[in-house]
Every structure is written in structure tokens, then in C-alpha cells.
Amino acid sequence: MMDGERQGDWVFMVTARAPTNIAVVKYWGKRDQKLILPINSSISVTLNPHDLSATTTVAVSPSFKADRLWLNGKEVSLQGDRYQNCLREIRSRATDVVDAKSGQSIRKQDWQRLHVHIVSKNNFPTAAGLASSAAGFACLVYALAQLMGVQERYKGEISSIARIGSGSACRSLYGGFVEWEMGKDDDGKDSVAIQLVEETHWEDLFVIIAVVSSRQKETSSTSGMQDSVNTSKLLHHRAKEIVPKVIIEMRKAILERDFATFARICCADSNQFHATCLDTSPPIFYLNDTSKKIISMVERWNKAEGTPQAAYTFDAGPNAVLFAPSKDKACELLSRLLFYFPPAADKNISSYVVGDVESLAFKDIDSPFKPPEVDGINITRFSGELDYILCTRPGGGPLVLKDHLIDSSTGLPL
Amino acid sequence: MMDGERQGDWVFMVTARAPTNIAVVKYWGKRDQKLILPINSSISVTLNPHDLSATTTVAVSPSFKADRLWLNGKEVSLQGDRYQNCLREIRSRATDVVDAKSGQSIRKQDWQRLHVHIVSKNNFPTAAGLASSAAGFACLVYALAQLMGVQERYKGEISSIARIGSGSACRSLYGGFVEWEMGKDDDGKDSVAIQLVEETHWEDLFVIIAVVSSRQKETSSTSGMQDSVNTSKLLHHRAKEIVPKVIIEMRKAILERDFATFARICCADSNQFHATCLDTSPPIFYLNDTSKKIISMVERWNKAEGTPQAAYTFDAGPNAVLFAPSKDKACELLSRLLFYFPPAADKNISSYVVGDVESLAFKDIDSPFKPPEVDGINITRFSGELDYILCTRPGGGPLVLKDHLIDSSTGLPL
């Protein structure tokens, strides 16, 4: 992993890629702000990192004068508690590392004084509200753990470090279907992510993300969830009485690949999360009128067929993450999106429908059909209300990559 | 009350006017569909009938061949259960009535075979979603009770008959501030409205209603609340655990004219009601993006001042009902509405701001100021998003009027 020399000193680096994830049983509310311990367990689907992921190179060198971070091409401060907590926890678990290629060794105690340079970028727009902080912190912590030879002393230990960077980041440490167990301990050791099943367990599941245009200024999820904890009476009932049962049902639905149950819980849990946002004072609105049109579209389809054809879920923003139980249903879902939400006049279809379009083998991209459930109904089409539509699938967890984002001769971003 | 002859027969009639009301602790969910018994108590403010009310003439004559109803100029069927239940309950309580003017008497048992003609109209657009069914059923039941000489055997008995027409109608039987006690009895006898205080108790309270344009098709409140009862887990927690405490707090706030507490509860309860709608499967959305802008406007103002300047509440639709604690604050509120929501270009101000504008003595109607709390912030103004703004105040209960809506010589609408 030794990649070069700089001013006579060595630079040692690791690059990793980590996925985003989308919760299907939502995390909303902390019982401990500093350790980021949640008031309920949550379950997520890891999304294919090929379509949505963060890539991070972490480097150390005796020549580095300070810890530094470049995010999507711009240097930003590492002074925030979240970064500092992650760095401290990883450094405290560092071990003796010997680079196989060069023979250069770094002793356990050296990590405390060696500075790191971190370069990270997303393969999707940060502003799109697609869980960039989850992928980012998962990737940072995973890469640092690789660099510093951190071995887990208990299952999920590294995920618990990602958790103190950004709660939902812990779920991005695994591929497939992941549960973040809320835990009971005050020190947060048992608040870890565990993989329920790998992505290959449910190969027929498809994911389509509808990115909504012209988004209003939003409440950050960090401050929003704290306001909810402090003011929503419904949130505590949800966390204590409702979610524990929902978690058990959702685990079972995933293990059995039971799409009808998965869809029912997924939609209801998303709506209930947004209900607790509305029950917050002052109220928080993440869903806008376009989000509601997407919900109505799915509900109308599901009602017409009598059984769930697709499911929706919304995080702290207006974008819809939609699930379909097969390639055919995913194509029908995409057709519906294109019917209700044609691209803006100045947009061509290839920049409107992006991501893993190939897996869908979608044929009707230029001529979306009118869904049978709206036959005889006067439906308005909403051109330009979506920015783009991203096709993807469940995917794998973090990986080490060979191509670095740091120039080994300068220690700076390439 | 005898008003003429028709084909040799007498026509006997009564005309009444009844107000609308706006709930500040919401009713949502029935424990008995047929009797319309609610799952929680609710509290409302009766609105001035001069601005918003139903007027109804009920007439009987031996010459009438059937019960008939004309609503806002159009004959409609009286066959619905709600009408039939109200008619049956009032008829069963009818007494011997002697008309003072003509000396004509109707014996108790005669009411069972005498047919009624009913003509009713609202002084506001029915489609505007301003509780027209509450005013309508309250007025119908009140007028019929007057006509048939019904005396209450217990307090609130007539309100309980209005209740089986439309739940919230029971609260329109009284002026001022009214509580609908949910009751415990299976037969609904104790599920009645009671007046907390008259409208004169809180003379400084002003009401401004922002009627939102271009409304989407909405879920009716009857089917919506049943869906919520069947599917929302949060609703039952609200009804059982939260509302009983909120009712006690709201009663106290009204008795003490404590606007800060009134406003806090009013806004939180409205948001919580809409949260339970969102927690329904499929989710129900009554608030649209314009509603949210009004909420943000009020929240921003209240936050800037550090104490509630105004309160909002929304029923089963996007229109905002806003409260202000004084004439001055009501003018400031109106200024804000006009700043954020100027009338559409083709609308003049006198048809945009309607109702009891006089009481406000509003001076800046042509030049709304920019609110200080948005100084330095780039605020978009949303011309045309409101249809009109209605100024009103708390008002009195049902009254008997002298001018009838039925022609005594024909028995038909005038």
C-alpha cells in the first residue's frame, strides 16, 4: 500500500468506496446526541455503489503537518466533532502495520502523531439529498480502519465508529439488507449495524430513485430529529411501541422475500416518519406536492392491482426511493414515472433516466404508456417536476480500491 | 309562525341561521359510525354567522306530499341516513305546537305524518371547504326543533341530534367556545356539545381565513377519518393518551384568555391531526405547499418575536384559519398575508380581502409592509396562491330569523 516518496518521506495510503443506504424502517431521534445513539432500531437496503457511493483516499506521511480533508474537490475543515470523534476512535484502535510492498512499518503508537490527508468524492450530486453523509462517513471510517490496521474486537465495532460520524453511516458498512440495532448500553458499544442478508439474497428487487426538482430549503436531519425528540409526542410512541414490532415484521419480510409485506411496511413506515416530522414544533415538511404525486401514483397502481406492485420511501427530503419486485415491475414503474413526470422540454431522455438502465432492459423509454389504472380519468402530467430518475439495485458493502485520489508525490488531491 | 295558506291548507314554517365552527382541538375518528361517536373530545371556536353561516327554512303543511330538500338553490335527495336519522330523532321528540298568530295547532302525533320542505343556503361558497356541513346540519336540526316544539330533556340533547347528521355540527349549536364531550354511553346520549364561554368572553380574538386556490381533489373527511381509525397506529395514541390532557389545557387557556397557550396548543393540535392523516394507509394529505407556506409565515413571525403573535389551524383541506390576539396583531397578520400572497393580477383588493374588514380598521391594504422578520432574507411572494382572505371573529350560536326562504303560498323555495 506504500505508494511513493515525498521530500524523502514515505506516503502510505488506502482508498475505499462505500455505498449509500436507504432506510425502510426509519431512524429518527437520538437518545444520546454525542454518541449518536438512536431511540429505535432501523433497517436499510444498501444501494449499488456503482450508481451511488463515496470514494475516499486516506493517506499518512511523516511529512504531513496537519490532518486535512478535501471533499468533492474543495478543502473543508476537519475540526467538527463528528470528524474528530471518528479519527480519535480509529486511532485509538490502530495496530502495528507493515506495508507488504515496501516493508515500511508503522507502529501502533506512531498513529497518534501521524497526520492524515483525506480526499473524498461522491459519484452523485451531494445536494441531491441522497444520503451523502452516510456513504461519506462509512467510507472515511472504513478506509481509516484499513489504513491503521484496525481489527474488530466485536462484531460491528467499526460500524459503531461510523455511527458517531453520522448515525445512518453505520448501515453503509454492509451490503444487502442491514439492521442498525439501537442497543442498550450507555457507551454505545452495542449500537451497531449487522447484515441481515447479502444483496444476492433478493436479486429480483429493483430500486428507482425519483429526484425532485426545485427543492425548498430543508431542515437538516440533525436539527430536525432533535426538535422531534423534544416536541413530538407521537415520536416517542412510535419509537417505543410501534417500531419494535415493525422491525420484527420487516426482518421476516426480507428473509422471506415477501414483497407485499415489505412494501406495506416500507410505505407505512415512511409515512409515519414524516407524520412525526409534522407533529414536531415547529412542524418539519420534507415531502412536497411532487412527493405526494409520486405517493398517489404508487398507491393508485397498488390499489388497482389489489396487491403491492411497488413501494415508496422518503428520507429527510422530497426525493422518492421506489422499490419494485421484479425487472418487469420496475419497467412498469419507470413507465409510470415517465408518464406522470415527462422530462422538461430542454432535457433529453438519456440525461433524464440515468444509472443502471441496462439491467432493466427498458424498451418503452421514448413512448411511455398510459397506465391502465388511469383509463378514463383526466390525469395531469407534470413535466419538469423531476430532475432525473436514477435506476439502481441493492448492492454490496465497502471495498478497497486500487486507484487513489491522492498524488503520492505531493500528498495532495490528484 | 303560521305564514299563509296553500290550496286551502296552512303552511307552518320556521327559519334559522346557524354558524360554522373551527376546531382548535380536532375531532378525527369515530368509535361508532352510525351514531357518530368520536374517539376523543374536541374544542372549537364558533365563527361569526354574519360572515359564515347556513340559513334554513323548514316548513310543514298537510298539502306536502313528501319530505323535500333544496340546498343552495338545487333540490337534492333527503334519503341519506344522516338526514333521515336527524328527521326521525327530531320527530320523535316533537310536542303539541300552537301557532300564536293563527291559533292553528299541531298535535304531537301529527308530526309523524306531516311532511317537511327544507330550503337551506350558505352565505359562503360550499366548495371552499369551510365546514359547510357543520353549519348546515346544525341549522337544520335547530330549525326543525323550533318548528316541532322540541324541548331538551337534558343539556345538549339537540346538539346530539345534530351530531348524528355531521359530527362537528353539534359544536355549531352554541356560540363562542364550545367543547364536544366524547361521552361514554353506547347510545351517544352523553356525546354532546357544551358551551365553555360565550364569544363576548374573549372580545380581542380575531380570525382570518386564508382560502387556498387551485385545490386538488380531496379525501372526504368521513371516509378519511375511518381510514385513519383503521390504519393509523398514531391516531389511537393521540386520542387516548394525548388529547385528554390537551383538552384540559385548552379549556384553561380559553377561560384565562391566555393567547400564548391557546396558540401553542392550536398549532400543535392541527399539526398532529394532519400527522395522523399522513400516518393513514394510504396516506391522506390535506395540507398543500401553499398551506405549508402559511405555516412557515406564522412560525417565522412567532419565532422572531419570541412569543406567539398568531396561531394557525387547518381542517380537512388546505385553507388556513388564523387567530390573532388583538386588532393590531390581526392587522399585522393581514399585512403579512398580503405581503406573501398578493392577489392575482386580475383581482382587486376589495374582492380579495372580504368579510368583516371594518372591525379591523385595516389601513395598509394597498401597501403591505415587508415583515421585519424577513429583512435581509430573499423571500419569494406567491401571487395568486390564495383565492381570498376572509376576516371574521368568534360569534354567537343559532338564531331564529323572520325572513323565510320558502314561499308560503307555494311551499317551494322563494
Side-chain angles (χ1 to χ4, degrees):
Chain A
M1 286 191 269
M2 178 77 66
D3 265 80
E5 306 270 332
R6 177 173 171 266
Q7 299 172 347
D9 280 327
W10 47 267
V11 174
F12 183 44
M13 58 181 148
V14 167
T15 298
R17 186 183 72 179
T20 60
N21 69 79
I22 177 75
V24 290
V25 177
K26 301 293 186 191
Y27 152 55
W28 194 251
K30 300 179 181 72
R31 65 178 201 275
D32 184 306
Q33 297 269 0
K34 194 166 165 264
L35 293 173
I36 310 192
L37 301 178
I39 59 172
N40 59 257
S41 297
S42 53
I43 292 178
S44 60
V45 180
T46 298
L47 300 180
N48 192 340
H50 184 80
D51 304 312
L52 291 165
S53 58
T55 300
T56 303
T57 296
V58 289
V60 275
S61 169
S63 68
F64 293 172
K65 301 285 181 274
D67 293 338
R68 294 175 72 182
L69 168 64
W70 290 263
L71 211 55
N72 293 311
K74 210 178 136 185
E75 182 161 14
V76 295
S77 168
L78 257 174
Q79 288 313 305
D81 280 351
R82 290 164 169 243
Y83 288 117
Q84 289 301 314
N85 291 340
C86 287
L87 279 168
R88 187 191 63 244
E89 293 300 319
I90 289 285
R91 278 193 173 113
S92 74
R93 288 166 176 82
T95 61
D96 296 344
V97 173
V98 180
D99 183 42
K101 208 165 73 183
S102 66
Q104 175 70 44
S105 75
I106 304 174
R107 285 166 309 156
K108 189 177 170 179
Q109 58 269 33
D110 294 340
W111 292 108
Q112 295 296 332
R113 52 171 188 77
L114 282 167
H115 288 295
V116 292
H117 282 188
I118 303 163
V119 176
S120 186
K121 60 175 193 185
N122 300 324
N123 65 350
F124 58 93
T126 311
L130 297 171
S132 55
S133 75
F137 273 103
C139 202
L140 172 67
V141 168
Y142 182 82
L144 286 171
Q146 296 293 319
L147 181 78
M148 302 189 186
V150 177
Q151 302 297 324
E152 289 198 334
R153 292 166 299 187
Y154 59 91
K155 217 176 161 183
E157 184 176 12
I158 290 175
S159 80
S160 78
I161 302 172
R163 189 202 73 223
I164 60 174
S166 172
S168 56
C170 71
R171 297 186 311 236
S172 277
L173 264 296
Y174 300 96
F177 300 81
V178 180
E179 179 175 340
W180 173 10
E181 294 180 335
M182 64 176 288
K184 291 176 196 161
D185 296 352
D186 285 343
D187 64 5
K189 266 190 189 138
D190 60 348
S191 188
V192 297
I194 55 155
Q195 187 179 52
L196 296 175
V197 281
E198 292 191 344
E199 65 275 19
T200 51
H201 167 76
W202 199 344
E203 294 220 292
D204 290 336
L205 200 66
F206 283 76
V207 180
I208 295 180
I209 302 176
V211 177
V212 172
S213 311
S214 68
R215 293 157 53 233
Q216 299 160 315
K217 193 191 161 199
E218 282 153 28
T219 309
S220 87
S221 59
T222 301
S223 71
M225 73 171 70
Q226 198 50 31
D227 288 346
S228 293
V229 167
N230 291 336
T231 64
S232 169
K233 292 167 185 164
L234 299 181
L235 177 62
H236 299 281
H237 181 68
R238 160 177 163 75
K240 271 189 204 165
E241 306 296 333
I242 301 175
V243 175
K245 292 170 196 147
V246 168
I247 287 275
I248 292 166
E249 288 182 287
M250 183 53 105
R251 258 190 230 136
K252 188 163 175 280
I254 289 169
L255 291 176
E256 296 176 357
R257 293 183 285 264
D258 169 1
F259 186 76
T261 305
F262 175 89
R264 182 178 54 75
I265 300 175
C266 173
C267 297
D269 192 79
S270 172
N271 291 330
Q272 188 171 83
F273 150 54
H274 291 281
T276 66
C277 290
L278 185 46
D279 188 48
T280 300
S281 175
I284 304 165
F285 302 103
Y286 290 123
L287 304 177
N288 67 16
D289 285 351
T290 305
S291 315
K292 293 180 206 169
K293 287 169 192 160
I294 298 171
I295 291 176
S296 299
M297 176 194 87
V298 174
E299 294 284 358
R300 195 181 291 127
W301 186 22
N302 290 348
K303 192 181 169 187
E305 299 287 339
T307 168
Q309 310 294 298
Y312 55 80
T313 188
F314 295 80
D315 269 357
N319 300 330
V321 177
L322 304 166
F323 294 96
S326 68
K327 190 195 285 188
D328 288 351
K329 292 294 171 194
C331 286
E332 288 189 48
L333 176 59
L334 181 54
S335 280
R336 278 172 173 80
L337 282 170
L338 290 171
F339 172 76
Y340 288 97
F341 304 100
D346 60 345
K347 209 156 204 166
N348 65 45
I349 196 78
S350 67
S351 66
Y352 189 57
V353 181
V354 299
D356 186 10
V357 190
E358 223 167 85
S359 287
L360 285 179
F362 186 64
K363 292 195 177 59
D364 309 319
I365 203 152
D366 292 315
S367 57
F369 75 125
K370 186 177 182 186
E373 67 269 22
V374 301
D375 254 11
I377 304 175
N378 203 355
I379 291 285
T380 313
R381 299 176 69 190
F382 305 98
S383 174
E385 290 201 14
L386 299 185
D387 245 9
Y388 59 93
I389 297 168
L390 176 75
C391 304
T392 186
R393 307 184 67 171
L399 284 178
V400 170
L401 302 185
K402 287 196 171 151
D403 291 333
H404 301 304
L405 304 177
I406 289 179
D407 181 339
S408 60
S409 62
T410 62
L412 297 173
L414 274 167
Chain B
M1 286 190 270
M2 179 75 67
D3 264 82
E5 306 271 330
R6 178 172 170 268
Q7 301 171 346
D9 280 326
W10 49 265
V11 173
F12 183 43
M13 59 181 147
V14 167
T15 298
R17 184 184 72 180
T20 60
N21 70 78
I22 177 74
V24 290
V25 178
K26 301 292 186 195
Y27 152 54
W28 195 251
K30 300 178 183 71
R31 65 179 200 276
D32 184 305
Q33 298 269 1
K34 194 166 166 260
L35 294 172
I36 309 192
L37 301 178
I39 58 171
N40 59 256
S41 297
S42 54
I43 292 178
S44 60
V45 180
T46 298
L47 300 180
N48 192 340
H50 185 81
D51 305 311
L52 292 165
S53 58
T55 300
T56 303
T57 297
V58 289
V60 277
S61 168
S63 69
F64 293 172
K65 302 283 181 273
D67 295 336
R68 296 176 70 182
L69 167 65
W70 292 263
L71 211 55
N72 294 312
K74 209 177 136 185
E75 182 161 12
V76 296
S77 168
L78 258 173
Q79 290 313 306
D81 279 351
R82 288 163 171 243
Y83 288 118
Q84 289 301 314
N85 291 341
C86 288
L87 280 168
R88 187 192 62 243
E89 293 300 319
I90 289 286
R91 278 192 173 112
S92 75
R93 288 165 175 81
T95 62
D96 295 345
V97 172
V98 180
D99 182 43
K101 210 165 73 182
S102 65
Q104 176 70 46
S105 75
I106 304 174
R107 284 165 310 157
K108 188 178 169 178
Q109 59 272 31
D110 294 341
W111 292 110
Q112 296 296 332
R113 52 171 188 77
L114 282 167
H115 288 294
V116 293
H117 282 187
I118 303 162
V119 176
S120 186
K121 60 175 192 184
N122 300 324
N123 65 350
F124 58 93
T126 311
L130 297 168
S132 55
S133 75
F137 274 103
C139 202
L140 172 67
V141 168
Y142 182 82
L144 286 171
Q146 296 293 318
L147 181 79
M148 301 189 187
V150 175
Q151 303 297 324
E152 289 199 335
R153 293 166 299 188
Y154 59 91
K155 218 176 161 183
E157 184 176 9
I158 290 174
S159 80
S160 78
I161 302 172
R163 189 201 73 224
I164 59 174
S166 171
S168 56
C170 71
R171 297 187 310 236
S172 277
L173 264 296
Y174 300 96
F177 300 80
V178 181
E179 179 174 339
W180 173 9
E181 294 179 336
M182 64 176 290
K184 291 175 199 163
D185 296 352
D186 285 342
D187 63 5
K189 264 189 187 138
D190 59 348
S191 189
V192 297
I194 54 157
Q195 187 179 52
L196 296 175
V197 281
E198 292 191 343
E199 65 277 18
T200 51
H201 166 77
W202 199 344
E203 294 220 291
D204 290 336
L205 200 66
F206 284 76
V207 180
I208 296 181
I209 303 176
V211 177
V212 172
S213 311
S214 67
R215 293 157 53 235
Q216 299 160 314
K217 193 190 160 200
E218 282 154 30
T219 309
S220 88
S221 59
T222 301
S223 70
M225 73 172 70
Q226 198 50 33
D227 288 345
S228 294
V229 167
N230 291 336
T231 64
S232 169
K233 293 168 185 165
L234 299 180
L235 178 62
H236 298 281
H237 181 70
R238 161 178 163 75
K240 271 190 203 164
E241 306 296 333
I242 301 177
V243 175
K245 292 169 196 148
V246 168
I247 287 277
I248 293 167
E249 289 182 286
M250 183 54 105
R251 259 191 229 136
K252 188 163 176 278
I254 289 169
L255 291 176
E256 296 177 356
R257 293 183 286 265
D258 170 1
F259 186 76
T261 305
F262 175 88
R264 182 178 55 75
I265 299 175
C266 174
C267 298
D269 192 77
S270 172
N271 291 330
Q272 188 171 85
F273 149 53
H274 291 281
T276 66
C277 290
L278 185 46
D279 188 49
T280 299
S281 175
I284 304 165
F285 302 103
Y286 290 123
L287 305 177
N288 67 15
D289 285 351
T290 305
S291 314
K292 293 181 208 169
K293 287 169 192 160
I294 299 171
I295 291 176
S296 299
M297 176 194 86
V298 173
E299 294 284 358
R300 195 182 290 128
W301 186 21
N302 290 350
K303 191 182 171 188
E305 299 286 338
T307 168
Q309 309 295 297
Y312 54 81
T313 189
F314 295 80
D315 268 357
N319 300 329
V321 178
L322 304 166
F323 294 96
S326 68
K327 189 194 286 187
D328 289 351
K329 292 292 172 197
C331 287
E332 289 187 49
L333 175 59
L334 181 53
S335 280
R336 278 172 173 78
L337 282 171
L338 290 170
F339 171 76
Y340 287 97
F341 304 99
D346 60 344
K347 208 156 205 167
N348 65 46
I349 195 79
S350 66
S351 66
Y352 189 57
V353 181
V354 300
D356 186 8
V357 189
E358 224 166 83
S359 287
L360 286 180
F362 186 67
K363 290 191 179 62
D364 309 318
I365 202 153
D366 291 317
S367 56
F369 75 124
K370 187 177 183 187
E373 67 269 21
V374 300
D375 256 11
I377 305 175
N378 204 355
I379 291 284
T380 313
R381 299 176 70 190
F382 305 98
S383 176
E385 290 201 13
L386 298 185
D387 243 10
Y388 60 93
I389 298 168
L390 177 74
C391 304
T392 186
R393 307 184 65 171
L399 285 176
V400 169
L401 303 185
K402 287 197 171 147
D403 291 334
H404 300 303
L405 304 177
I406 289 179
D407 182 340
S408 61
S409 63
T410 62
L412 297 173
L414 273 168

